Coordinates of all heavy atoms in Angstrom, one line a residue:
M1 N 149.3 185.1 268.4 CA 149.6 183.8 267.7 C 149.5 184.0 266.2 O 148.6 184.7 265.7 CB 148.6 182.8 268.1 CG 148.8 181.4 267.5 SD 147.6 180.2 267.9 CE 148.0 179.9 269.6
S2 N 150.4 183.4 265.5 CA 150.5 183.6 264.1 C 149.4 182.7 263.4 O 149.3 181.5 263.8 CB 151.9 183.1 263.5 OG 151.8 182.9 262.2
T3 N 148.8 183.2 262.5 CA 147.7 182.5 261.8 C 148.3 181.6 260.8 O 147.7 180.6 260.4 CB 146.7 183.4 261.1 OG1 147.5 184.4 260.2 CG2 145.8 184.3 262.0
A4 N 149.5 181.9 260.4 CA 150.2 180.9 259.4 C 150.4 179.5 260.1 O 150.3 178.6 259.4 CB 151.6 181.5 259.1
T5 N 150.6 179.5 261.3 CA 150.8 178.3 262.0 C 149.4 177.4 262.0 O 149.5 176.3 261.7 CB 151.1 178.5 263.6 OG1 152.4 179.2 263.6 CG2 151.3 177.2 264.3
L6 N 148.4 178.1 262.2 CA 147.0 177.5 262.2 C 146.7 177.0 260.8 O 146.2 175.9 260.7 CB 146.0 178.5 262.8 CG 146.2 179.0 264.1 CD1 145.1 180.0 264.5 CD2 146.5 178.0 265.2
A7 N 147.0 177.7 259.8 CA 146.7 177.4 258.5 C 147.5 176.2 258.0 O 147.2 175.6 257.0 CB 146.9 178.6 257.6
A8 N 148.6 175.9 258.6 CA 149.4 174.8 258.2 C 148.8 173.4 258.5 O 149.2 172.4 257.9 CB 150.8 174.8 258.9
F9 N 147.8 173.3 259.3 CA 147.2 172.1 259.7 C 145.7 172.0 259.2 O 145.1 173.1 259.3 CB 147.3 172.0 261.2 CG 148.7 171.9 261.7 CD1 149.0 172.9 262.5 CD2 149.5 170.9 261.5 CE1 150.4 173.0 263.0 CE2 150.9 170.9 261.9 CZ 151.2 172.0 262.7
T10 N 145.3 171.0 258.7 CA 143.9 170.8 258.4 C 143.1 170.3 259.5 O 143.6 169.5 260.3 CB 143.8 169.9 257.1 OG1 144.4 168.7 257.5 CG2 144.4 170.5 255.9
E11 N 141.9 170.8 259.6 CA 141.0 170.4 260.7 C 140.5 168.9 260.4 O 140.1 168.6 259.3 CB 139.9 171.3 260.7 CG 138.9 171.1 261.9 CD 137.7 172.0 261.9 OE1 137.8 173.1 261.2 OE2 136.7 171.6 262.6
P12 N 140.6 168.0 261.5 CA 140.1 166.7 261.3 C 138.6 166.6 261.1 O 137.9 167.7 261.3 CB 140.5 166.0 262.6 CG 141.2 167.0 263.4 CD 141.1 168.4 262.8
D13 N 138.1 165.6 260.6 CA 136.7 165.4 260.4 C 135.9 165.7 261.8 O 136.5 165.4 262.8 CB 136.3 164.0 260.0 CG 136.8 163.8 258.5 OD1 137.0 164.7 257.8 OD2 137.0 162.5 258.1
R14 N 134.8 166.2 261.7 CA 134.0 166.5 262.9 C 133.2 165.3 263.2 O 132.3 165.1 262.5 CB 133.1 167.7 262.7 CG 134.0 169.0 262.4 CD 133.3 170.3 262.2 NE 134.1 171.4 262.1 CZ 133.7 172.6 261.9 NH1 132.4 172.9 261.9 NH2 134.6 173.7 261.8
P15 N 133.3 164.8 264.4 CA 132.5 163.7 264.8 C 131.0 164.2 264.9 O 130.8 165.2 265.2 CB 133.0 163.3 266.2 CG 134.3 164.0 266.4 CD 134.3 165.1 265.4
K16 N 130.1 163.2 264.8 CA 128.7 163.5 264.8 C 128.2 164.2 266.2 O 127.4 165.0 266.2 CB 127.8 162.3 264.5 CG 126.4 162.6 264.2 CD 125.6 161.3 263.9 CE 126.0 160.8 262.5 NZ 125.1 159.5 262.1
D17 N 128.8 163.7 267.2 CA 128.5 164.2 268.6 C 129.4 165.3 269.1 O 129.5 165.6 270.3 CB 128.5 163.0 269.6 CG 129.8 162.3 269.7 OD1 130.8 162.6 268.9 OD2 130.0 161.6 270.7
L18 N 130.1 166.0 268.2 CA 131.0 167.1 268.5 C 130.2 168.2 269.1 O 129.2 168.8 268.5 CB 131.8 167.5 267.3 CG 132.8 168.6 267.6 CD1 133.9 168.1 268.5 CD2 133.4 169.1 266.2
L19 N 130.5 168.7 270.2 CA 129.8 169.9 270.8 C 130.6 171.1 270.8 O 130.1 172.2 270.5 CB 129.5 169.5 272.3 CG 128.7 168.2 272.6 CD1 128.7 167.9 274.1 CD2 127.3 168.4 272.1
I20 N 131.9 171.1 271.0 CA 132.8 172.2 271.0 C 134.1 171.6 270.4 O 134.6 170.6 270.8 CB 133.0 172.7 272.5 CG1 131.7 173.1 273.1 CG2 133.9 174.1 272.3 CD1 131.9 173.3 274.6
R21 N 134.8 172.5 269.6 CA 136.2 172.2 269.2 C 137.0 173.4 269.5 O 136.8 174.5 269.0 CB 136.2 171.9 267.7 CG 137.6 171.7 267.2 CD 137.7 171.0 265.8 NE 137.6 169.5 266.0 CZ 137.4 168.7 265.0 NH1 137.3 169.2 263.8 NH2 137.3 167.4 265.2
F22 N 138.0 173.2 270.4 CA 139.0 174.2 270.8 C 140.3 174.0 269.9 O 140.8 172.9 269.8 CB 139.4 174.2 272.2 CG 138.2 174.5 273.2 CD1 137.6 173.5 273.9 CD2 137.7 175.8 273.4 CE1 136.5 173.7 274.8 CE2 136.7 176.0 274.3 CZ 136.1 175.0 274.9
I23 N 140.9 175.1 269.5 CA 142.2 175.0 268.9 C 143.3 175.2 270.0 O 143.0 176.0 270.8 CB 142.4 175.9 267.7 CG1 143.6 175.7 266.9 CG2 142.4 177.4 268.1 CD1 143.7 176.2 265.5
T24 N 144.3 174.4 269.9 CA 145.3 174.6 270.9 C 146.4 175.5 270.6 O 146.5 175.8 269.3 CB 146.0 173.2 271.2 OG1 146.8 172.8 270.1 CG2 144.9 172.0 271.5
V25 N 147.2 175.9 271.5 CA 148.4 176.7 271.2 C 149.4 176.1 270.3 O 150.1 176.7 269.6 CB 149.1 177.2 272.4 CG1 148.2 178.3 273.2 CG2 149.6 176.2 273.3
G26 N 149.3 174.7 270.2 CA 150.2 174.0 269.3 C 149.7 173.8 267.9 O 150.3 173.2 267.0
G27 N 148.4 174.3 267.7 CA 147.8 174.2 266.4 C 146.9 172.9 266.2 O 146.5 172.5 265.2
S28 N 146.8 172.1 267.3 CA 146.0 170.9 267.2 C 144.5 171.3 267.7 O 144.2 172.4 267.9 CB 146.6 169.8 268.1 OG 145.9 168.5 267.8
Y29 N 143.8 170.2 268.1 CA 142.4 170.5 268.4 C 142.1 169.6 269.7 O 142.5 168.5 269.8 CB 141.4 170.1 267.3 CG 141.7 171.0 266.1 CD1 142.5 170.6 265.1 CD2 141.1 172.3 266.0 CE1 142.7 171.4 263.9 CE2 141.3 173.1 264.9 CZ 142.1 172.7 263.9 OH 142.4 173.4 262.8
V30 N 141.2 170.3 270.6 CA 140.6 169.5 271.6 C 139.1 169.5 271.3 O 138.5 170.5 271.2 CB 140.8 170.2 272.9 CG1 140.0 169.5 274.1 CG2 142.4 170.3 273.3
D31 N 138.6 168.2 271.2 CA 137.1 168.0 270.9 C 136.4 167.7 272.2 O 136.8 166.9 273.0 CB 137.0 166.8 270.0 CG 137.4 167.1 268.6 OD1 137.7 168.3 268.3 OD2 137.3 166.2 267.7
V32 N 135.3 168.4 272.4 CA 134.3 168.0 273.5 C 133.2 167.3 272.8 O 132.5 167.7 271.9 CB 133.8 169.3 274.2 CG1 132.7 168.9 275.2 CG2 134.9 170.0 274.8
T33 N 132.9 166.0 273.1 CA 132.0 165.2 272.5 C 131.0 164.6 273.5 O 131.3 164.6 274.7 CB 132.6 164.1 271.7 OG1 133.4 163.3 272.6 CG2 133.4 164.5 270.6
G34 N 129.7 164.4 273.1 CA 128.8 163.8 274.0 C 127.4 164.1 273.7 O 127.2 164.8 272.7
P35 N 126.5 163.7 274.5 CA 125.1 164.0 274.2 C 124.7 165.4 274.3 O 123.7 165.9 273.8 CB 124.3 163.2 275.3 CG 125.3 162.1 275.7 CD 126.7 162.8 275.7
G36 N 125.3 166.2 275.2 CA 125.1 167.6 275.3 C 124.9 168.3 276.7 O 125.4 167.6 277.7
Q37 N 124.3 169.4 276.8 CA 124.4 170.2 278.0 C 123.6 169.5 279.2 O 124.1 169.7 280.3 CB 123.6 171.5 277.7 CG 123.9 172.5 278.8 CD 123.5 173.9 278.4 OE1 123.0 174.1 277.2 NE2 123.8 174.9 279.2
H38 N 122.7 168.7 278.9 CA 121.9 168.2 280.1 C 122.3 166.7 280.4 O 121.6 166.1 281.0 CB 120.4 168.4 279.8 CG 120.0 169.8 279.6 ND1 120.0 170.7 280.6 CD2 119.5 170.4 278.5 CE1 119.7 172.0 280.1 NE2 119.4 171.6 278.8
S39 N 123.4 166.3 279.9 CA 123.9 165.0 280.1 C 125.3 164.9 280.9 O 126.0 166.0 280.8 CB 124.2 164.2 278.8 OG 124.8 163.1 279.0
D40 N 125.5 164.0 281.7 CA 126.8 163.9 282.4 C 127.6 162.8 281.7 O 128.6 162.3 282.3 CB 126.6 163.5 283.8 CG 125.9 162.1 284.0 OD1 125.5 161.5 283.0 OD2 125.9 161.7 285.2
K41 N 127.4 162.6 280.4 CA 128.2 161.8 279.6 C 129.1 162.4 278.5 O 129.4 161.8 277.5 CB 127.2 160.7 278.8 CG 126.3 159.9 279.7 CD 127.1 159.0 280.6 CE 126.0 158.2 281.5 NZ 126.6 157.5 282.7
N42 N 129.4 163.7 278.8 CA 130.3 164.4 277.9 C 131.8 164.2 278.2 O 132.1 163.9 279.4 CB 130.0 165.9 277.9 CG 128.5 166.1 277.6 OD1 128.1 165.8 276.4 ND2 127.8 166.7 278.5
R43 N 132.6 164.2 277.2 CA 134.1 164.1 277.5 C 134.9 164.9 276.6 O 134.4 165.6 275.6 CB 134.5 162.6 277.4 CG 134.3 162.1 276.0 CD 134.5 160.6 276.0 NE 135.8 160.1 276.6 CZ 136.9 160.1 276.0 NH1 137.1 160.4 274.7 NH2 138.0 159.8 276.6
W44 N 136.2 165.1 276.9 CA 137.0 165.8 275.9 C 138.3 165.0 275.5 O 138.7 164.1 276.3 CB 137.5 167.2 276.5 CG 138.3 167.3 277.6 CD1 137.9 167.5 278.9 CD2 139.8 167.2 277.7 NE1 139.0 167.5 279.8 CE2 140.1 167.3 279.1 CE3 140.8 167.0 276.7 CZ2 141.5 167.2 279.5 CZ3 142.1 166.9 277.2 CH2 142.4 167.1 278.5
N45 N 138.8 165.2 274.4 CA 140.0 164.5 274.1 C 140.9 165.4 273.1 O 140.2 166.3 272.4 CB 139.8 163.2 273.4 CG 139.2 163.3 271.9 OD1 138.1 163.7 271.9 ND2 140.0 163.2 270.9
C46 N 142.2 165.3 273.3 CA 143.1 166.2 272.6 C 143.7 165.4 271.4 O 144.3 164.4 271.6 CB 144.2 166.7 273.5 SG 145.4 167.7 272.6
H47 N 143.6 166.1 270.2 CA 144.1 165.4 269.0 C 145.7 165.5 269.0 O 146.4 164.7 268.3 CB 143.6 166.0 267.7 CG 142.2 165.7 267.4 ND1 141.8 164.7 266.6 CD2 141.0 166.2 267.9 CE1 140.5 164.6 266.5 NE2 140.0 165.4 267.3
G48 N 146.2 166.5 269.8 CA 147.6 166.7 269.6 C 148.4 165.7 270.5 O 149.3 165.1 270.1
C49 N 148.2 165.7 271.8 CA 148.9 164.8 272.8 C 148.2 163.6 273.2 O 148.9 162.7 273.8 CB 149.4 165.7 274.0 SG 147.9 166.0 275.1
G50 N 147.0 163.4 272.9 CA 146.3 162.3 273.2 C 145.6 162.2 274.6 O 145.0 161.3 275.0
D51 N 145.9 163.4 275.3 CA 145.2 163.4 276.6 C 143.7 163.5 276.5 O 143.1 163.9 275.5 CB 145.8 164.8 277.3 CG 145.6 164.6 278.8 OD1 145.2 163.6 279.4 OD2 146.0 165.7 279.5
S52 N 143.1 163.2 277.6 CA 141.6 163.2 277.6 C 141.1 163.5 279.1 O 141.8 163.4 280.0 CB 141.0 161.9 277.0 OG 141.4 160.8 277.8
S53 N 139.8 163.7 279.1 CA 139.2 163.8 280.5 C 139.2 162.6 281.2 O 139.1 161.5 280.5 CB 137.7 164.3 280.2 OG 137.0 163.5 279.3
D54 N 139.4 162.6 282.5 CA 139.4 161.5 283.3 C 139.0 161.8 284.7 O 139.1 163.0 285.1 CB 140.8 160.7 283.2 CG 141.9 161.5 283.7 OD1 141.7 162.7 284.1 OD2 143.0 161.1 283.7
R55 N 138.6 160.8 285.4 CA 138.3 161.0 286.9 C 137.4 162.2 287.2 O 137.8 163.1 287.7 CB 139.6 161.0 287.8 CG 140.2 159.6 287.9 CD 141.4 159.7 288.8 NE 142.5 160.3 288.2 CZ 143.4 159.8 287.5 NH1 143.4 158.6 287.2 NH2 144.4 160.5 287.0
P56 N 136.2 162.2 286.8 CA 135.4 161.1 286.0 C 135.7 161.4 284.5 O 135.9 162.5 284.1 CB 134.0 161.3 286.4 CG 133.9 162.9 286.6 CD 135.1 163.3 287.3
E57 N 135.7 160.4 283.8 CA 135.9 160.4 282.3 C 134.9 161.3 281.7 O 135.1 162.0 280.7 CB 136.0 159.0 281.8 CG 136.4 159.0 280.3 CD 136.7 157.6 279.8 OE1 137.0 156.8 280.6 OE2 136.5 157.4 278.6
Q58 N 133.6 161.1 282.1 CA 132.6 161.8 281.5 C 131.9 162.7 282.6 O 131.8 162.4 283.8 CB 131.4 160.8 281.0 CG 132.1 159.9 280.0 CD 131.1 158.7 279.7 OE1 130.4 158.2 280.5 NE2 131.1 158.3 278.3
D59 N 131.3 163.9 282.1 CA 130.8 164.7 283.1 C 129.8 165.7 282.3 O 129.7 165.7 281.2 CB 131.9 165.6 283.8 CG 131.5 166.0 285.2 OD1 130.3 166.0 285.5 OD2 132.4 166.3 286.0
Y60 N 129.2 166.6 283.1 CA 128.4 167.6 282.5 C 129.2 168.7 281.8 O 130.3 168.9 282.1 CB 127.6 168.4 283.7 CG 126.5 167.5 284.3 CD1 126.6 167.0 285.6 CD2 125.2 167.3 283.6 CE1 125.6 166.2 286.1 CE2 124.3 166.5 284.1 CZ 124.4 166.0 285.3 OH 123.5 165.1 285.9
L61 N 128.6 169.2 280.8 CA 129.2 170.1 279.9 C 129.9 171.4 280.6 O 130.9 171.8 280.3 CB 128.3 170.6 278.7 CG 128.8 171.3 277.6 CD1 130.0 170.5 276.9 CD2 127.8 171.7 276.6
F62 N 129.2 171.8 281.6 CA 129.7 173.0 282.3 C 131.0 172.7 283.0 O 131.8 173.6 283.4 CB 128.7 173.7 283.2 CG 128.3 172.9 284.5 CD1 129.1 173.3 285.7 CD2 127.5 171.9 284.6 CE1 128.9 172.6 286.9 CE2 127.2 171.3 285.8 CZ 127.9 171.7 286.9
R63 N 131.2 171.5 283.4 CA 132.5 171.0 284.0 C 133.5 170.6 282.9 O 134.7 170.8 283.1 CB 132.3 169.8 284.9 CG 131.5 170.1 286.2 CD 131.6 169.1 287.2 NE 130.7 169.3 288.3 CZ 129.7 168.4 288.7 NH1 129.4 167.5 287.9 NH2 129.0 168.7 289.7
I64 N 133.1 170.1 281.9 CA 134.1 169.6 280.8 C 134.5 170.8 280.0 O 135.7 170.9 279.7 CB 133.3 168.7 279.8 CG1 133.0 167.3 280.5 CG2 134.0 168.4 278.5 CD1 134.1 166.4 280.8
R65 N 133.8 171.8 279.7 CA 134.1 172.9 279.0 C 135.4 173.7 279.4 O 136.3 173.8 278.6 CB 133.0 173.9 278.8 CG 133.2 175.0 277.8 CD 132.1 176.1 277.8 NE 130.8 175.7 277.4 CZ 129.7 175.5 278.2 NH1 129.8 175.7 279.5 NH2 128.6 175.1 277.7
P66 N 135.4 174.1 280.7 CA 136.6 174.8 281.1 C 137.8 173.9 281.2 O 139.0 174.4 281.0 CB 136.2 175.3 282.5 CG 135.1 174.5 282.9 CD 134.4 174.1 281.7
D67 N 137.8 172.7 281.5 CA 138.8 171.7 281.5 C 139.4 171.6 280.0 O 140.6 171.6 279.8 CB 138.5 170.4 281.9 CG 138.2 170.3 283.4 OD1 138.5 171.3 284.2 OD2 137.7 169.3 284.0
A68 N 138.5 171.5 279.1 CA 138.9 171.3 277.7 C 139.6 172.6 277.2 O 140.6 172.5 276.5 CB 137.8 171.0 276.7
N69 N 139.1 173.8 277.5 CA 139.5 175.0 277.1 C 140.9 175.3 277.7 O 141.9 175.8 277.1 CB 138.5 176.2 277.4 CG 138.8 177.5 276.7 OD1 139.6 177.4 275.8 ND2 138.1 178.5 277.0
G70 N 141.0 174.9 279.0 CA 142.3 175.0 279.7 C 143.3 174.2 279.0 O 144.5 174.6 279.0
H71 N 143.1 172.9 278.7 CA 143.9 172.1 278.1 C 144.5 172.7 276.7 O 145.6 172.7 276.4 CB 143.5 170.7 277.8 CG 144.4 169.8 277.3 ND1 145.5 169.1 277.9 CD2 144.8 169.5 276.0 CE1 146.2 168.4 277.2 NE2 145.8 168.6 275.9
A72 N 143.4 173.2 276.0 CA 143.9 173.8 274.6 C 144.7 175.0 274.9 O 145.6 175.2 274.0 CB 142.5 174.3 273.9
A73 N 144.5 175.7 275.9 CA 145.4 176.9 276.2 C 146.8 176.5 276.6 O 147.7 177.4 276.6 CB 144.8 177.8 277.3
A74 N 147.0 175.3 277.0 CA 148.3 174.9 277.6 C 149.0 173.9 276.6 O 150.3 173.8 276.7 CB 148.1 174.2 278.9
C75 N 148.3 173.2 275.8 CA 148.9 172.0 275.1 C 149.7 172.6 273.9 O 149.1 173.2 273.0 CB 147.8 171.0 274.7 SG 148.5 169.7 273.8
R76 N 151.0 172.2 273.8 CA 151.9 172.6 272.6 C 152.2 171.5 271.7 O 153.0 171.7 270.8 CB 153.1 173.2 273.3 CG 153.0 174.4 274.1 CD 154.1 175.1 274.6 NE 153.8 176.3 275.3 CZ 153.6 177.5 274.7 NH1 153.8 177.6 273.4 NH2 153.2 178.6 275.4
A77 N 151.5 170.4 271.8 CA 151.7 169.3 270.9 C 151.1 169.7 269.5 O 149.9 170.1 269.5 CB 151.1 168.0 271.4
I78 N 151.9 169.4 268.4 CA 151.4 169.7 267.2 C 150.7 168.4 266.6 O 151.0 167.3 267.0 CB 152.5 170.1 266.1 CG1 153.5 169.0 265.9 CG2 153.1 171.4 266.7 CD1 154.4 169.3 264.7
P79 N 149.7 168.6 265.7 CA 149.1 167.3 265.1 C 150.1 166.6 264.2 O 150.8 167.2 263.3 CB 147.9 167.9 264.3 CG 148.3 169.3 264.1 CD 149.1 169.8 265.2
L80 N 150.3 165.3 264.5 CA 151.2 164.5 263.6 C 150.5 163.8 262.4 O 151.2 163.3 261.5 CB 151.8 163.4 264.6 CG 152.6 164.1 265.8 CD1 153.2 162.9 266.6 CD2 153.8 164.9 265.3
R81 N 149.2 163.8 262.5 CA 148.5 163.3 261.3 C 147.2 163.8 261.1 O 146.7 164.5 262.0 CB 148.4 161.7 261.4 CG 147.7 161.2 262.6 CD 148.0 159.7 262.8 NE 148.2 159.4 264.2 CZ 147.2 158.8 265.0 NH1 146.1 158.7 264.6 NH2 147.5 158.6 266.2
Ligands
ZN101 ZN1 146.9 168.0 274.3

């Protein structure tokens, strides 16, 4: 992947409950947010396409993490703002 593509976009502000931020193949970001490892109230959302975790919307980090990383590896939406 070209680093020039990544440098063209600025990273959004980091929410206070941000646990992990994945960069997507489209140069956007997938945020994993929530209370942390020992909680089932964590979730992910994509800044590029607007997709997010659902069914269940919130889950333990060990379940959310691979889903969020998988989305980041597949999502080609570029950040529009
Ligand atoms: Zn996406």
Side-chain angles (χ1 to χ4, degrees):
M1 180 184 291
S2 166
T3 53
T5 303
L6 304 181
F9 303 110
T10 54
E11 187 182 342
D13 289 342
R14 296 181 178 182
K16 195 178 285 183
D17 62 348
L18 183 66
L19 300 172
I20 308 169
R21 173 165 279 170
F22 295 104
I23 190 161
T24 73
V25 290
S28 190
Y29 297 94
V30 175
D31 285 359
V32 177
T33 54
Q37 191 162 6
H38 302 294
S39 168
D40 62 355
K41 305 290 185 201
N42 302 299
R43 64 189 308 273
W44 65 264
N45 69 286
C46 178
H47 287 264
C49 71
D51 198 5
S52 65
S53 50
D54 56 1
R55 287 186 286 275
E57 184 173 332
Q58 300 171 323
D59 209 337
Y60 287 103
L61 191 56
F62 77 90
R63 290 197 185 114
I64 292 287
R65 185 191 291 111
D67 289 351
N69 199 11
H71 183 85
C75 183
R76 297 183 176 275
I78 66 167
L80 299 179
R81 54 195 144 96

